[in-house]
Amino acid sequence: MEPKVFHPFVLFFVIMGFSGCANLNTDLSIPEKPLPDSFNDKQVSTAVASINWRDYFADPLLLKLLDTAVGNNLDLQMALQRIETSRSSVKLANAAMLPQVSLNVGGGVRKFGLYTMDGAGNATTEIRPGQIVPENLPDMFIGLQSSWEVDVWGKLESQRKAAVSNYLSSIEATHFVISNLVTDVAIYYNELLALDNELDIVRQTIQKQQEALEIIQIQKEAGRANLLAVQQFNAQLLDSQVLEKTLLQQISERENNINFLLGRYPQPIERTKTEFFDALPKEVLAGIPSQLLINRPDVRAAEHQVEASKFDLQAAKAAFYPNFNITASLGFQAFNPEFLFTSPASLAYSLAGTLVAPIINMKSLEAAFNTAQANQLSAMYNYQKSILNAYVEVANQLSNIKSLQQMSALKKQQSEVLKQSVEAANELYKSARASYLEVLIAQQSALQSNLQLINVTKQQRLATITLYKALGGGWK
């Protein structure tokens, strides 16, 4: 008669488990935004992202800094530990699919009330002839105990796959940290070179302004210039000296920024400022937009997060199904230690299977499922955002590089013209055919033009570095 009692309960649990899953949708999607075929109507066949950063950057001093940064940067070290955390999560997910076996050594004592079934039975039961069950009954056990959740519905497998996807995402996230680190160090280094060259220009200008001030002072003493001219030249000199101090402060800050990325306390940064104009970064070939999906580590990390969210959603759905657990034990059990191993009668074992279906906590399972759905949609939108962001970054830098090339050519012409104008103004002033104001204006214009030329050159270098990162380079 027992099967007639057992089977209806099994059927009831199964029906209850499946009834909660009738309206659970795991096939989610969002509108896709296809990538354009080219960047700014330009399509080339090769991408620079595949070039190792040690080959991309030509300055050996910069390469030395980058090697130190990759070895010591604290953000990178934390990212590496996140990989270890994800790897451990994969191991835990794998272990959850296997039977759990443990060694159990325990003991205790029990006393049943006399007017109970156990107490009355023990009082009249002989273990051996003339030896009844003790009133205070010890219970000692040593052996193996095991439990295993049979993954009938694939919940544990989905959790394992989600852990693997999160692990892969953490690796790509670390690659993105390396890419940002290499880019940041290279940017700060080139800004430092630009500041060095600006400081040289300012100091050269200060020297010329001091010479001009000495000349105007002599002319004032000779009656050929007035006090106002002396004051104007002196004010211009003081303004340049303030600019010199400002540049020195900015140089100190850039050095500290680099040292921070290198994971060390402030110290001088070895560099060669003459490399600023001679060793421009290599020409960048942007490639086709679809290569961003292959080269950009942040895009690949977002893709793995989408995969992880899909498996999390499948696991959340499987939680509505009944769980099938198997428990077993094998060992020795006795009330007296001398019988624990000496008597075959002390051998004890058990084997049981249970089918557990959620009933009361269905609302919490529905909430967990809805959360998993929202997480998957969020991951999908984040993936689309990362692709859009990557495309915009590349398109902006390609346009920026083109504009900066045109600006650089014009600034070089302007700098040469203003250099000649300073020489002409000085000669004309000496022959009294130009005023001191014309000399001041020529000097100030030349200074600003030279500083702007350095700034444009810096922006060219930074745009090339930023494009290298935007295309997915800098982590290999």
Side-chain angles (χ1 to χ4, degrees), residues 12-28:
F12 171 76
F13 282 128
V14 172
I15 292 174
M16 289 300 296
F18 276 90
S19 64
C21 309
N23 299 319
L24 301 180
N25 179 27
T26 58
D27 188 16
L28 304 181

PDB file of all heavy atoms in Angstrom, residues 12-28:
ATOM      1  N   PHE A  12       2.548  15.596  -6.441  1.00  0.00           N
ATOM      2  CA  PHE A  12       2.128  16.903  -5.931  1.00  0.00           C
ATOM      3  C   PHE A  12       3.297  17.886  -5.929  1.00  0.00           C
ATOM      4  O   PHE A  12       3.178  19.031  -6.376  1.00  0.00           O
ATOM      5  CB  PHE A  12       1.559  16.730  -4.527  1.00  0.00           C
ATOM      6  CG  PHE A  12       1.288  18.048  -3.828  1.00  0.00           C
ATOM      7  CD1 PHE A  12       0.188  18.821  -4.168  1.00  0.00           C
ATOM      8  CD2 PHE A  12       2.153  18.509  -2.839  1.00  0.00           C
ATOM      9  CE1 PHE A  12      -0.055  20.019  -3.528  1.00  0.00           C
ATOM     10  CE2 PHE A  12       1.915  19.703  -2.200  1.00  0.00           C
ATOM     11  CZ  PHE A  12       0.804  20.451  -2.538  1.00  0.00           C
ATOM     12  N   PHE A  13       4.467  17.431  -5.432  1.00  0.00           N
ATOM     13  CA  PHE A  13       5.640  18.305  -5.370  1.00  0.00           C
ATOM     14  C   PHE A  13       6.091  18.714  -6.768  1.00  0.00           C
ATOM     15  O   PHE A  13       6.443  19.873  -7.022  1.00  0.00           O
ATOM     16  CB  PHE A  13       6.790  17.624  -4.631  1.00  0.00           C
ATOM     17  CG  PHE A  13       6.631  17.637  -3.134  1.00  0.00           C
ATOM     18  CD1 PHE A  13       6.733  16.460  -2.396  1.00  0.00           C
ATOM     19  CD2 PHE A  13       6.401  18.826  -2.463  1.00  0.00           C
ATOM     20  CE1 PHE A  13       6.597  16.474  -1.023  1.00  0.00           C
ATOM     21  CE2 PHE A  13       6.265  18.840  -1.086  1.00  0.00           C
ATOM     22  CZ  PHE A  13       6.359  17.660  -0.357  1.00  0.00           C
ATOM     23  N   VAL A  14       6.090  17.756  -7.684  1.00  0.00           N
ATOM     24  CA  VAL A  14       6.531  18.061  -9.043  1.00  0.00           C
ATOM     25  C   VAL A  14       5.602  19.073  -9.706  1.00  0.00           C
ATOM     26  O   VAL A  14       6.026  20.028 -10.344  1.00  0.00           O
ATOM     27  CB  VAL A  14       6.626  16.768  -9.877  1.00  0.00           C
ATOM     28  CG1 VAL A  14       6.904  17.102 -11.346  1.00  0.00           C
ATOM     29  CG2 VAL A  14       7.705  15.855  -9.322  1.00  0.00           C
ATOM     30  N   ILE A  15       4.269  18.844  -9.521  1.00  0.00           N
ATOM     31  CA  ILE A  15       3.301  19.772 -10.109  1.00  0.00           C
ATOM     32  C   ILE A  15       3.453  21.166  -9.518  1.00  0.00           C
ATOM     33  O   ILE A  15       3.439  22.171 -10.229  1.00  0.00           O
ATOM     34  CB  ILE A  15       1.864  19.245  -9.909  1.00  0.00           C
ATOM     35  CG1 ILE A  15       1.659  17.982 -10.747  1.00  0.00           C
ATOM     36  CG2 ILE A  15       0.849  20.301 -10.293  1.00  0.00           C
ATOM     37  CD1 ILE A  15       0.318  17.310 -10.512  1.00  0.00           C
ATOM     38  N   MET A  16       3.640  21.236  -8.223  1.00  0.00           N
ATOM     39  CA  MET A  16       3.801  22.543  -7.572  1.00  0.00           C
ATOM     40  C   MET A  16       5.062  23.244  -8.059  1.00  0.00           C
ATOM     41  O   MET A  16       5.088  24.459  -8.262  1.00  0.00           O
ATOM     42  CB  MET A  16       3.843  22.361  -6.054  1.00  0.00           C
ATOM     43  CG  MET A  16       2.513  21.979  -5.431  1.00  0.00           C
ATOM     44  SD  MET A  16       1.219  23.209  -5.718  1.00  0.00           S
ATOM     45  CE  MET A  16       1.899  24.598  -4.827  1.00  0.00           C
ATOM     46  N   GLY A  17       6.125  22.449  -8.253  1.00  0.00           N
ATOM     47  CA  GLY A  17       7.365  23.059  -8.721  1.00  0.00           C
ATOM     48  C   GLY A  17       7.237  23.602 -10.118  1.00  0.00           C
ATOM     49  O   GLY A  17       7.669  24.701 -10.426  1.00  0.00           O
ATOM     50  N   PHE A  18       6.593  22.832 -11.012  1.00  0.00           N
ATOM     51  CA  PHE A  18       6.482  23.263 -12.399  1.00  0.00           C
ATOM     52  C   PHE A  18       5.449  24.358 -12.586  1.00  0.00           C
ATOM     53  O   PHE A  18       5.541  25.165 -13.495  1.00  0.00           O
ATOM     54  CB  PHE A  18       6.126  22.077 -13.291  1.00  0.00           C
ATOM     55  CG  PHE A  18       7.321  21.280 -13.705  1.00  0.00           C
ATOM     56  CD1 PHE A  18       7.752  20.211 -12.941  1.00  0.00           C
ATOM     57  CD2 PHE A  18       8.024  21.608 -14.850  1.00  0.00           C
ATOM     58  CE1 PHE A  18       8.857  19.475 -13.328  1.00  0.00           C
ATOM     59  CE2 PHE A  18       9.127  20.872 -15.236  1.00  0.00           C
ATOM     60  CZ  PHE A  18       9.551  19.804 -14.473  1.00  0.00           C
ATOM     61  N   SER A  19       4.440  24.393 -11.728  1.00  0.00           N
ATOM     62  CA  SER A  19       3.387  25.396 -11.885  1.00  0.00           C
ATOM     63  C   SER A  19       3.917  26.800 -11.696  1.00  0.00           C
ATOM     64  O   SER A  19       3.409  27.750 -12.288  1.00  0.00           O
ATOM     65  CB  SER A  19       2.255  25.126 -10.882  1.00  0.00           C
ATOM     66  OG  SER A  19       2.736  25.268  -9.546  1.00  0.00           O
ATOM     67  N   GLY A  20       4.949  26.947 -10.865  1.00  0.00           N
ATOM     68  CA  GLY A  20       5.521  28.273 -10.653  1.00  0.00           C
ATOM     69  C   GLY A  20       6.361  28.743 -11.814  1.00  0.00           C
ATOM     70  O   GLY A  20       6.773  29.891 -11.862  1.00  0.00           O
ATOM     71  N   CYS A  21       6.682  27.842 -12.772  1.00  0.00           N
ATOM     72  CA  CYS A  21       7.571  28.199 -13.872  1.00  0.00           C
ATOM     73  C   CYS A  21       6.837  28.456 -15.172  1.00  0.00           C
ATOM     74  O   CYS A  21       7.455  28.621 -16.220  1.00  0.00           O
ATOM     75  CB  CYS A  21       8.596  27.081 -14.086  1.00  0.00           C
ATOM     76  SG  CYS A  21       9.454  26.595 -12.582  1.00  0.00           S
ATOM     77  N   ALA A  22       5.512  28.432 -15.130  1.00  0.00           N
ATOM     78  CA  ALA A  22       4.745  28.502 -16.372  1.00  0.00           C
ATOM     79  C   ALA A  22       4.980  29.808 -17.114  1.00  0.00           C
ATOM     80  O   ALA A  22       5.024  29.821 -18.345  1.00  0.00           O
ATOM     81  CB  ALA A  22       3.267  28.323 -16.062  1.00  0.00           C
ATOM     82  N   ASN A  23       5.163  30.928 -16.417  1.00  0.00           N
ATOM     83  CA  ASN A  23       5.258  32.230 -17.055  1.00  0.00           C
ATOM     84  C   ASN A  23       6.651  32.851 -16.911  1.00  0.00           C
ATOM     85  O   ASN A  23       6.796  34.065 -16.987  1.00  0.00           O
ATOM     86  CB  ASN A  23       4.214  33.181 -16.450  1.00  0.00           C
ATOM     87  CG  ASN A  23       2.803  32.692 -16.665  1.00  0.00           C
ATOM     88  OD1 ASN A  23       2.477  32.201 -17.737  1.00  0.00           O
ATOM     89  ND2 ASN A  23       1.963  32.818 -15.638  1.00  0.00           N
ATOM     90  N   LEU A  24       7.658  32.026 -16.709  1.00  0.00           N
ATOM     91  CA  LEU A  24       9.013  32.534 -16.529  1.00  0.00           C
ATOM     92  C   LEU A  24       9.734  32.531 -17.873  1.00  0.00           C
ATOM     93  O   LEU A  24       9.971  31.477 -18.463  1.00  0.00           O
ATOM     94  CB  LEU A  24       9.769  31.675 -15.513  1.00  0.00           C
ATOM     95  CG  LEU A  24       9.142  31.595 -14.115  1.00  0.00           C
ATOM     96  CD1 LEU A  24       9.981  30.722 -13.210  1.00  0.00           C
ATOM     97  CD2 LEU A  24       8.972  32.986 -13.516  1.00  0.00           C
ATOM     98  N   ASN A  25      10.080  33.724 -18.340  1.00  0.00           N
ATOM     99  CA  ASN A  25      10.714  33.856 -19.653  1.00  0.00           C
ATOM    100  C   ASN A  25      12.197  34.128 -19.484  1.00  0.00           C
ATOM    101  O   ASN A  25      12.599  35.086 -18.822  1.00  0.00           O
ATOM    102  CB  ASN A  25      10.059  34.999 -20.432  1.00  0.00           C
ATOM    103  CG  ASN A  25      10.690  35.197 -21.796  1.00  0.00           C
ATOM    104  OD1 ASN A  25      11.233  34.250 -22.367  1.00  0.00           O
ATOM    105  ND2 ASN A  25      10.630  36.412 -22.308  1.00  0.00           N
ATOM    106  N   THR A  26      13.009  33.274 -20.078  1.00  0.00           N
ATOM    107  CA  THR A  26      14.463  33.473 -20.035  1.00  0.00           C
ATOM    108  C   THR A  26      15.022  33.877 -21.394  1.00  0.00           C
ATOM    109  O   THR A  26      16.237  34.061 -21.520  1.00  0.00           O
ATOM    110  CB  THR A  26      15.162  32.184 -19.566  1.00  0.00           C
ATOM    111  OG1 THR A  26      14.821  31.117 -20.465  1.00  0.00           O
ATOM    112  CG2 THR A  26      14.747  31.820 -18.156  1.00  0.00           C
ATOM    113  N   ASP A  27      14.171  34.025 -22.368  1.00  0.00           N
ATOM    114  CA  ASP A  27      14.613  34.407 -23.714  1.00  0.00           C
ATOM    115  C   ASP A  27      14.425  35.920 -23.876  1.00  0.00           C
ATOM    116  O   ASP A  27      13.447  36.394 -24.451  1.00  0.00           O
ATOM    117  CB  ASP A  27      13.820  33.636 -24.772  1.00  0.00           C
ATOM    118  CG  ASP A  27      14.373  33.859 -26.178  1.00  0.00           C
ATOM    119  OD1 ASP A  27      15.520  34.343 -26.283  1.00  0.00           O
ATOM    120  OD2 ASP A  27      13.656  33.555 -27.155  1.00  0.00           O
ATOM    121  N   LEU A  28      15.374  36.676 -23.356  1.00  0.00           N
ATOM    122  CA  LEU A  28      15.278  38.140 -23.365  1.00  0.00           C
ATOM    123  C   LEU A  28      16.105  38.719 -24.503  1.00  0.00           C
ATOM    124  O   LEU A  28      17.117  38.146 -24.926  1.00  0.00           O
ATOM    125  CB  LEU A  28      15.770  38.705 -22.029  1.00  0.00           C
ATOM    126  CG  LEU A  28      15.081  38.179 -20.766  1.00  0.00           C
ATOM    127  CD1 LEU A  28      15.663  38.850 -19.536  1.00  0.00           C
ATOM    128  CD2 LEU A  28      13.580  38.396 -20.824  1.00  0.00           C
TER     129      LEU A  28
END
